Amino acid sequence: MKTFVEWCEDFLLRKVYQIQKQTWFAIIMIFSLVTTVMLSLPVNAQITPSSSLTSELRGVWLTNIDSDVLFESDRLKKSLQRLDELNFNTVYPAVWNWGYTLYPSKVAAKVIGKSLDPTPGLQGRDMLKEIVDQGHKRGLTVIPWFEFGFMAPADSLLAKNRPQWLTNRSDGTRIVKEGTHNRVWLNPFRPDVQQFIQDLIIEIVSNYDIDGIQFDDHFGLPSELGYDAYTVALYKREHGGKAPAKNPKDTEWVRWRASKITNFMQRVFKAIKAVKKDCLVSVAPNPQRFSYDYFLADWQKWERMGLIEELVLQIYRDDLNVFVKELEYPEVKAAKQHIPVSVGILAGLKNRSVPMQQLKTQVQKVRDRNFAGVSFFFYETLWNLSQETPSQRQNGFEQIFSQPAKYPNIITGWKP
C-alpha cells in the first residue's frame, strides 16, 4: 500500500509539471505572437523616413494675423533660413489682408487710397520682394496667398470708400462675424469688383518672380449673402423675372451663384496664364461640401475644368477618424489623379496649442495615402505659439522632414 501511494504521488506530480510546462509554453508563444504583431503595426508618432521621398510639398502659411514674422526684414530673413534648415521647401505669404495689400500696390492706391497696409513694420520696404529674393536664394518655392479674397473688415477704407461694392443678406444686413471681427464682402458678381480683384492678382504676377499664386474659400462668398440689388436684378434677368429664393440654401440659387464664381475663376486663370504661363494656380479650400455649401466655392468643378494646378486641402481636425475620412472622399481621390494634392494641417492657433505628436500622426496618415505633401497653418504656431518649447517643436519637425525633398511638379501629361 505504501509503495502504491508513493507511486500515485509521483504520477500526479509529473502530470502537474507537464500541465504547468505546457501552460507556460502556451503563454510564451502567445506573448511572442502578440509582440511580433504589435511591432509590425505603425505607431501614431512613428514617421516614415523622409529619405525615401524625393519630392514632397513641405509648406507653411505666413500671415500678418497673430504673427509678426512679416513685419521686420531681419526677422523674416532668419525665419526663412530656419525653415530651409528644417527642410521646408514652400512658403505661402499673405499679400492681401485686412482690406490692404502687404506689398506696394498702384492698384490699391487708386481704389483704396493707400498703396500699402499702414502697419509700421511694412513701411519703407517691399515684404513680398524680400520673400521672393531670400526664399529663392534658399531654394524655397514662393506662392503668394490672396488670403482675404472678396472679404474685408467692416471698418476698412475699402468698405467705406466703395459701399456700392458690398453685398448683403435678404434682410439687408451685411456684417459677417469671423471670430470677434466684423467682416463685409465685396460682391463677386459685379464687373467693377471683379476687375479690381483681377488687377491686384495680375499686378503681383507681373511684377514679382513668384512661382504661383494661391486662393482659398474667400475667393467665394458666404452663401447667406448675394441679396444686394445688383445681384437680384441679374438673377431675375436670367430667370424670366423670378427673384432668388428667400432660403439662401435653395439649390438653384446656390448653383447659380457658384457658377458665376466659377466663371470668374476661369477668367482669372486665363489672365494669369496670359502674363506668366508657368505661374501655378494654387487653391487651398476646405473639403468640397463645406466650400460649396457655405462659400459657393465649387473647387471640385474648378479642378475638373483644369483651373487648379495645386490643391492644398485644409483639414483642420483634432479627431483622427474625421481627419482620415476627409482624406478619402471621392473628389479628393479624383483630383490626385490629375494634380499634386496636399493637405493643410493646423499647427495651432493663438489660443489653441496642437501637440507635436498630433502633427506627426497626421503627417503619417497623409503619407500613407500618397498625397503630394503637407502645409502647416501657420508659421507662428510651428514653434513660437505652443505649450511645447521651441526646441521640442523644432526637434519634431527635424524628425518629420529628416531629409530634403523637392517641391512636387505638376503630374506629367496634365493640361489646362
Side-chain angles (χ1 to χ4, degrees):
M1 179 62 69
K2 181 178 178 182
T3 302
F4 177 75
V5 169
E6 288 175 351
W7 179 86
C8 288
E9 289 177 344
D10 183 65
F11 176 81
L12 289 172
L13 285 171
R14 279 188 284 112
K15 285 296 180 184
V16 169
Y17 175 75
Q18 288 176 357
I19 292 170
Q20 288 177 333
K21 185 177 180 181
Q22 291 170 354
T23 302
W24 278 108
F25 181 77
I27 291 172
I28 291 169
M29 287 298 293
I30 292 170
F31 178 79
S32 177
L33 181 62
V34 169
T35 303
T36 301
V37 171
M38 288 180 67
L39 289 174
S40 68
L41 293 173
V43 180
N44 275 352
Q46 185 178 342
I47 289 293
T48 298
S50 61
S51 57
S52 63
L53 300 168
T54 56
S55 71
E56 182 180 53
L57 175 67
R58 297 167 177 183
V60 61
W61 282 282
L62 311 177
T63 180
N64 61 334
I65 300 175
D66 296 332
S67 176
D68 59 4
V69 65
L70 303 178
F71 293 141
E72 201 273 317
S73 295
D74 192 53
R75 183 189 299 120
L76 178 57
K77 181 179 178 180
K78 289 178 179 177
S79 298
L80 295 173
Q81 177 182 346
R82 190 65 184 124
L83 289 171
D84 176 39
E85 291 169 350
L86 290 171
N87 291 324
F88 282 79
N89 58 24
T90 306
V91 289
Y92 299 101
V95 289
W96 168 245
N97 233 341
W98 296 100
Y100 295 108
T101 55
L102 277 73
Y103 63 93
S105 167
K106 293 180 180 179
V107 174
K110 183 177 179 181
V111 173
I112 300 170
K114 285 194 177 292
S115 64
L116 182 66
D117 184 306
T119 303
L122 295 174
Q123 306 311 302
R125 47 188 290 250
D126 187 336
M127 176 276 296
L128 180 54
K129 187 176 187 303
E130 291 173 17
I131 292 180
V132 170
D133 291 346
Q134 291 296 322
H136 284 173
K137 183 179 178 181
R138 300 188 176 282
L140 297 172
T141 297
V142 180
I143 301 179
W145 174 32
F146 211 71
E147 184 174 359
F148 264 45
F150 288 97
M151 184 174 71
D155 60 353
S156 62
L157 279 178
L158 178 58
K160 291 176 180 177
N161 293 344
R162 295 287 193 280
Q164 72 277 17
W165 282 10
L166 306 182
T167 186
N168 51 261
R169 299 181 183 85
S170 59
D171 63 4
T173 59
R174 292 175 171 173
I175 301 296
V176 176
K177 279 287 187 180
E178 191 180 58
T180 60
H181 301 290
N182 290 332
R183 310 295 196 205
V184 291
W185 285 74
L186 306 179
N187 184 353
F189 313 116
R190 287 182 63 108
D192 45 3
V193 171
Q194 291 183 353
Q195 193 62 53
F196 169 63
I197 295 296
Q198 181 173 315
D199 287 347
L200 287 176
I201 294 166
I202 297 306
E203 181 178 52
I204 296 171
V205 175
S206 300
N207 296 336
Y208 296 88
D209 183 25
I210 58 175
D211 300 295
I213 192 158
Q214 187 180 77
F215 312 110
D216 60 23
D217 293 324
H218 293 153
F219 213 66
L221 179 74
S223 55
E224 70 262 33
L225 302 178
Y227 289 93
D228 57 275
Y230 177 88
T231 305
V232 170
L234 181 61
Y235 184 88
K236 286 181 176 179
R237 190 159 67 243
E238 297 184 9
H239 288 79
K242 182 181 178 182
K246 291 294 183 182
N247 174 16
K249 300 291 187 182
D250 174 78
T251 302
E252 172 57 19
W253 179 221
V254 169
R255 185 208 63 78
W256 182 83
R257 287 175 294 165
S259 179
K260 293 292 185 188
I261 290 170
T262 295
N263 291 342
F264 180 58
M265 180 67 185
Q266 185 175 29
R267 170 182 158 184
V268 168
F269 182 92
K270 290 179 178 179
I272 290 170
K273 294 302 180 180
V275 173
K276 189 176 183 181
K277 189 176 181 180
D278 61 351
C279 179
L280 291 173
V281 176
S282 173
V283 178
N286 276 278
Q288 169 68 15
R289 290 154 183 79
F290 186 89
S291 286
Y292 184 77
D293 291 343
Y294 289 90
F295 284 102
L296 308 173
D298 192 358
W299 64 256
Q300 181 181 5
K301 186 173 184 179
W302 301 352
E303 191 276 323
R304 289 200 308 267
M305 293 174 65
L307 305 179
I308 302 177
E309 296 169 304
E310 175 195 72
L311 182 66
V312 187
L313 195 62
Q314 296 180 35
I315 305 183
Y316 300 161
R317 307 284 186 268
D318 290 330
D319 187 318
L320 187 60
N321 291 327
V322 176
F323 180 86
V324 170
K325 183 180 178 181
E326 299 281 12
L327 297 178
E328 297 180 342
Y329 279 125
E331 63 272 15
V332 178
K333 291 182 177 180
K336 285 170 65 180
Q337 302 303 312
H338 310 144
I339 56 174
V341 179
S342 301
V343 177
I345 293 176
L346 183 66
L349 297 172
K350 182 180 180 181
N351 298 312
R352 176 183 166 192
S353 181
V354 175
M356 176 53 68
Q357 181 166 332
Q358 178 173 313
L359 302 185
K360 288 182 178 180
T361 300
Q362 292 185 347
V363 169
Q364 187 58 47
K365 296 300 181 184
V366 170
R367 284 177 175 167
D368 288 344
R369 288 157 181 80
N370 297 316
F371 280 84
V374 294
S375 185
F376 294 98
F377 185 82
F378 59 106
Y379 175 80
E380 215 65 43
T381 56
L382 291 182
W383 45 76
N384 293 331
L385 294 179
S386 174
Q387 291 180 359
E388 297 162 308
T389 67
S391 177
Q392 289 173 326
R393 300 285 284 191
Q394 293 188 23
N395 287 340
F397 285 109
E398 285 177 349
Q399 294 171 27
I400 293 173
F401 303 141
S402 59
Q403 296 293 327
K406 294 181 180 180
Y407 173 85
N409 291 322
I410 287 290
I411 294 174
T412 302
W414 184 91
K415 294 180 180 180

